């Protein structure tokens, strides 16, 4: 019988489809599972996955049977759908995907895309597992994203930056308005700190939609961040409602505002008609949260070398990684591979300039940039190696003199490297 991975590989050819009308009819025929589980929806550009993972960890620590839907995955598609921290079994996912596709065919619909089918499968899984609550990370944008089918009780928008301009618009104003499509009338909308252009657009959209805006920057009275390098952060956080002493395995100062966003959102659950959480649940959830592939360090057995995996794949993400590496202040070898449609001149040079040596490779994607074409973005004085095969590129990086290898540029690269390193 066809596996989940084989089914999804077959759906790749349908690409990206934005819009909800056809999905509403399909979801209705499936029993409207998107309405069965109270949900929080998380949009944004950088940090939305971290915020979603934090909220799910807090809800689980608070005793709720919690579903979490994220994208993309690192190593296997089953990672995208979790209940109580456990990934959906592969055979269960395959059954749900077959059900979705058969229902679409019965209705005479065009086949759902990969993301649409996965999203409907997530809704079905959460409903059939009788989840108390679900956290949904938006795939792209918000207004027309498949996750926006859910009648979310609370919306969270993490930091907005340039990404997916071919679908969302060429300005931060346009991108922010697309992401504001997750806001709901008379329901809380928690906004992470935003650049002025994005903030202005979000506030205007929230006012037009009648959403109850909660700006995290206005809720945080005091925040002291203690940098602990690869081990993560300690944060002394005071909001208008409570004070917290938080320990987090999420590394990098940029995660402090993601953590603050999740905490402020958790404080608003009662207003959204969701179960409230006490201080202990929030502190415990933040401490438990893990978000693989985001400043995740993996020791190489039998050596003193550490590989730091980071899914930074746009200029803002790379800037956050550069800031972390500057504060970490350790020599490193850079292992970099990215997609050709990314803003590579504003990603690679700053990372390469700080590296002792650079290895350029090719992510497993038809959209990948050829590594040889990236050499011009590396400072001329740097030692640069080009190796298209990821396994061979990893060997080259590990053979360098550095005891720290920093891998970044694409989530496709990070997923493959993580599989190799854990194997």
């Amino acid at each position: 019988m066809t596996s989940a991975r084989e089914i999804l590989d077959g759906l790749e050819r349908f690409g990206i489809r934005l819009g909800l009308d056809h999905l509403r009819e399909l979801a209705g025929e499936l029993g409207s599972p998107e309405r069965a589980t109270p949900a929080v929806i998380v949009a944004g550009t950088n940090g939305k996955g971290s915020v979603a993972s934090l909220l799910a960890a807090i809800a689980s620590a608070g005793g709720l049977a919690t579903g979490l839907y994220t994208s993309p995955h690192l190593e296997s598609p089953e990672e995208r759908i979790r209940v109580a921290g456990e990934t959906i079994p592969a055979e269960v996912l395959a059954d749900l995907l077959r059900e979705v596709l058969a229902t679409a065919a019965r209705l005479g619909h065009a086949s759902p895309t990969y993301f649409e089918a996965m999203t409907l499968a997530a809704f079905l899984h959460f409903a059939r597992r009788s989840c108390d609550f679900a956290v949904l990370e938006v795939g792209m944008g918000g207004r027309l994203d498949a996750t926006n089918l859910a009648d979310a009780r609370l919306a969270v928008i993490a930091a907005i930056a340039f990404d997916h301009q071919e679908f969302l618009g060429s300005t931060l104003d346009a991108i922010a308005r697309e992401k504001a499509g997750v806001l709901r009338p008379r329901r809380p909308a928690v906004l992470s700190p935003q650049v002025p252009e994005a903030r202005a657009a979000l506030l205007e959209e929230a006012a037009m939609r009648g959403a109850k805006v909660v700006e995290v920057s206005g809720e945080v009275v005091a925040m002291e961040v203690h940098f602990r390098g690869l081990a993560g952060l300690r944060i002394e956080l005071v909001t208008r409602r409570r004070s917290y002493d938080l320990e987090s395995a999420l590394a990098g100062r940029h995660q402090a505002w993601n953590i603050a966003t999740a905490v402020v959102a958790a404080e608003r659950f009662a207003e959204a008609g969701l179960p409230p959480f006490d201080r202990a649940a929030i502190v415990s959830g933040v401490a438990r949260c893990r978000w693989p592939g985001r400043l995740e360090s993996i020791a190489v057995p039998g050596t003193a070398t550490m590989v730091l995996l980071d899914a930074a794949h746009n200029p803002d993400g790379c800037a956050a990684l550069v800031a972390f590496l500057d504060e970490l202040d350790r020599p490193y070898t850079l292992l970099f591979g990215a997609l050709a449609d990314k803003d590579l001149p504003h990603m690679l040079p700053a990372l390469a300039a700080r590296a002792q040596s650079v290895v350029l490779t090719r992510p497993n994607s038809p959209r990948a940039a050829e590594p040889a074409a990236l050499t011009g973005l590396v400072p001329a004085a740097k030692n640069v190696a080009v190796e298209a095969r990821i396994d061979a590129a990893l060997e080259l990086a590990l053979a360098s003199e550095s005891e720290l290898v920093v891998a970044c540029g694409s989530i496709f690269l990070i997923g493959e490297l993580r599989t190799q390193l854990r194997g």
Side-chain angles (χ1 to χ4, degrees), residues 2 12 17 28 46 50 72 86 89 97 101 111 131 140 148 205 211 219 224-225 240 265 304 335 340 376 396 406 419:
T2 310
E12 288 275 17
R17 181 190 299 139
N46 292 315
S50 297
E86 298 295 323
L97 291 171
L101 296 182
S111 173
C131 289
M140 185 173 66
N148 208 27
E205 289 288 330
E219 292 297 309
E224 187 170 351
V225 181
R240 292 185 181 276
L335 176 54
L396 279 176
V406 176
T419 298

Side-chain angles (χ1 to χ4, degrees), residues 331-354:
Y332 66 90
T333 292
L334 178 66
L335 176 54
F336 186 90
L339 302 186
D341 57 4
K342 298 300 179 181
D343 187 1
L344 298 170
H346 291 99
M347 292 168 57
L348 176 56
L351 287 162
R354 291 161 170 79

Side-chain angles (χ1 to χ4, degrees), residues 397-421:
L398 293 176
S400 67
E401 296 180 1
S402 303
E403 292 186 353
L404 178 65
V405 173
V406 176
C408 64
S410 168
I411 200 162
F412 296 102
L413 172 65
I414 298 309
E416 179 65 26
L417 288 172
R418 193 169 190 267
T419 298
Q420 292 185 23
L421 288 165

Side-chain angles (χ1 to χ4, degrees), residues 35-340:
R35 296 185 173 273
T37 309
V40 167
I41 191 166
V42 184
T45 305
N46 292 315
K48 62 187 170 80
S50 297
V51 172
S53 186
L54 284 159
L55 282 171
I58 290 169
S60 293
L64 298 184
T66 303
L68 174 63
Y69 179 57
T70 60
S71 63
H73 60 267
L74 283 174
E75 297 175 82
S76 71
E78 290 79 18
E79 296 169 23
R80 299 182 181 215
I81 303 173
R82 297 175 182 265
V83 174
E86 298 295 323
T87 58
I88 185 173
E91 63 276 11
V92 174
L93 177 57
D95 287 342
L96 292 174
L97 291 171
R98 280 191 283 269
E99 182 178 351
V100 169
L101 296 182
T103 304
R106 189 169 64 249
L107 290 173
H109 281 205
S111 173
T113 66
Y114 184 121
F115 186 75
E116 290 170 343
M118 282 293 290
T119 305
L120 291 171
F123 290 146
L124 286 168
H125 189 55
F126 298 155
R128 291 173 185 176
R129 287 289 303 271
S130 300
C131 289
D132 299 320
F133 169 70
V135 182
L136 310 171
E137 180 194 1
V138 169
M140 185 173 66
R143 181 174 64 92
L144 300 176
D145 191 83
T147 56
N148 208 27
L149 277 178
D151 187 26
R153 305 284 182 86
L154 183 151
V156 182
I157 301 183
I160 291 173
F162 285 107
D163 207 11
H164 299 299
Q165 289 99 308
E166 68 274 29
F167 295 102
L168 304 180
S170 59
T171 66
L172 286 177
D173 178 273
I175 293 169
R177 292 180 191 279
E178 284 296 318
K179 294 181 186 292
V182 301
L183 305 182
R184 303 287 193 269
R186 298 177 298 281
R187 292 185 179 172
V190 176
L191 309 182
S192 288
Q194 305 285 345
V195 297
E197 186 178 358
R199 177 178 180 267
L202 289 175
L203 292 179
E204 185 176 315
E205 289 288 330
M208 288 192 296
R209 296 168 187 272
K212 300 177 181 178
V213 172
V214 179
E215 292 193 78
V216 175
S217 57
E219 292 297 309
V220 171
V221 175
M223 182 165 64
E224 187 170 351
V225 181
H226 304 273
F227 181 82
R228 301 190 304 171
L230 300 177
L233 301 171
R234 176 171 170 258
I235 303 173
E236 296 172 77
L237 176 67
V238 181
T239 71
R240 292 185 181 276
R241 299 192 173 189
R242 291 191 188 121
S243 61
Y244 305 87
D245 193 344
L246 302 166
E247 299 279 346
S248 174
L250 303 182
R253 288 186 183 273
H254 61 283
Q255 290 285 13
W257 279 109
N258 293 328
I259 292 168
T261 297
V263 169
V264 170
E267 291 180 339
R268 290 301 188 286
F269 270 38
E271 295 170 28
L274 297 166
F277 302 118
D278 59 17
R279 180 187 286 104
I282 292 175
V283 171
S284 177
V286 171
R288 291 184 194 180
C289 180
R290 300 294 184 272
W291 191 222
R294 283 75 177 178
L295 289 180
E296 179 187 17
S297 52
I298 299 178
V300 180
T303 75
T305 303
M306 190 75 72
V307 179
L308 183 66
L309 302 176
D310 194 64
H313 63 282
N314 58 38
D316 280 36
C318 288
L321 176 57
V322 166
F324 173 80
L325 293 169
D326 283 348
E327 190 164 11
L328 188 65
D329 194 24
R330 286 177 56 181
Y332 66 90
T333 292
L334 178 66
L335 176 54
F336 186 90
L339 302 186

